[in-house]
Structure formats: structure tokens, C-alpha cells
Amino acid sequence: MELLLPFAIMMGLMYFMIIKPQKKQAQEKQNLLNNLTKGQTIITIGGLHGVVDEVNMTKGIVVLDCEGIYLTYELQAVAKVITNEVTVDDLSAAPVEESADDITSTENIIEGGSAEEVEKLTETAATDSTTDESVDTKSDNLN
């Protein structure tokens, strides 16, 4: 009888630490799969990124468009849905502008900064130059 109480406590802990979180995760995965629609970007369990072209709940399959190649997967192969993905086309469409303000703001930090900030920047520059020298000596040794 005295062993029954510790056994019941262990079973209760196992339920709340293992079984309940696992059920919650399975429910979230099922909701993700039920709400899957055409046009969403997803990642499969194998790491493949693609856009949903077709979802067939009765057969349990999803067809992905991976840059013109259509691949059929089981619904369970969907790992996650990506909501806000930045593509290379988005990045190339926005031109990067460098201005002289960036350079002058760095100079102002050095001129108006504390002695510690200037020393830190100087150490960083010295470290960078020693790294370059060590690379040069290594390349000289190869010749």
C-alpha cells in the first residue's frame, strides 16, 4: 500500500511532462495541416522549401511548386509554414544606397567618443591589420 502513492505520483508526473505536451504538439500540427492552402510557402521535414500548389485532404497529399518543379508529398511531411519570407528578388529590387553621412557619423563617433570607445576601435583596427599580415606571411611561405 505504501508503494502505491509514489507510483501514482510518478504516473501523474509522466502524464503532465510527457503525454500532455505531446498531445498539444500533435493538435497544433493537425491545425497547421487543416489550414494549409494554395500559395503558402512551406518547409518539409527534409528541408525542402516550396509553394503549395494543391492540397488533397482525402488522399492526404500536398503538391509543391519548387521553382517550376512539381513534387507530391504526404501531408505529414510538412514541417512548418513560412509566413513572411524575403526572397532574393525582393532584395535585388531595393537598391542599396551608401551615403557620406554614414562615413561622417563614424568619424563623429571617433572624434566625440570617450577614450574607451576610441581605444576599442583602435584595437579592432590593429587586430584586423595583424590578421591581414598573418595571411600575407602564410601566402609567402607557400611560394
Side-chain angles (χ1 to χ4, degrees):
M1 187 67 180
E2 60 190 47
L3 293 176
L4 189 58
L5 183 62
F7 183 71
I9 291 173
M10 294 256 310
M11 293 305 285
L13 283 173
M14 284 182 63
Y15 176 77
F16 284 109
M17 295 187 74
I18 297 172
I19 298 170
K20 192 172 181 179
Q22 197 173 36
K23 283 184 178 181
K24 183 180 178 186
Q25 187 178 20
Q27 181 65 37
E28 289 174 356
K29 172 87 175 203
Q30 191 61 43
N31 287 340
L32 177 121
L33 296 177
N34 289 339
N35 295 328
L36 202 58
T37 59
K38 183 177 181 174
Q40 288 181 312
T41 303
I42 64 167
I43 300 177
T44 65
I45 57 175
L48 180 78
H49 294 243
V51 178
V52 176
D53 185 60
E54 177 185 337
V55 179
N56 189 334
M57 291 293 186
T58 57
K59 292 182 180 179
I61 61 171
V62 61
V63 178
L64 300 180
D65 178 8
C66 300
E67 297 182 4
I69 300 171
Y70 294 92
L71 304 169
T72 304
Y73 282 93
E74 296 285 326
L75 275 173
Q76 295 299 321
V78 176
K80 63 181 174 179
V81 176
I82 299 178
T83 54
N84 293 330
E85 183 178 358
V86 178
T87 62
V88 176
D89 296 332
D90 295 340
L91 294 175
S92 63
V96 177
E97 296 181 19
E98 294 182 19
S99 64
D101 295 338
D102 295 337
I103 297 169
T104 55
S105 64
T106 306
E107 291 172 354
N108 289 340
I109 291 172
I110 294 173
E111 291 174 3
S114 66
E116 294 172 359
E117 291 174 345
V118 173
E119 185 177 343
K120 190 174 185 180
L121 288 171
T122 307
E123 288 174 6
T124 305
T127 305
D128 290 344
S129 64
T130 57
T131 305
D132 293 340
E133 291 171 6
S134 65
V135 170
D136 291 337
T137 54
K138 287 180 183 177
S139 65
D140 290 340
N141 293 338
L142 293 175
N143 294 333

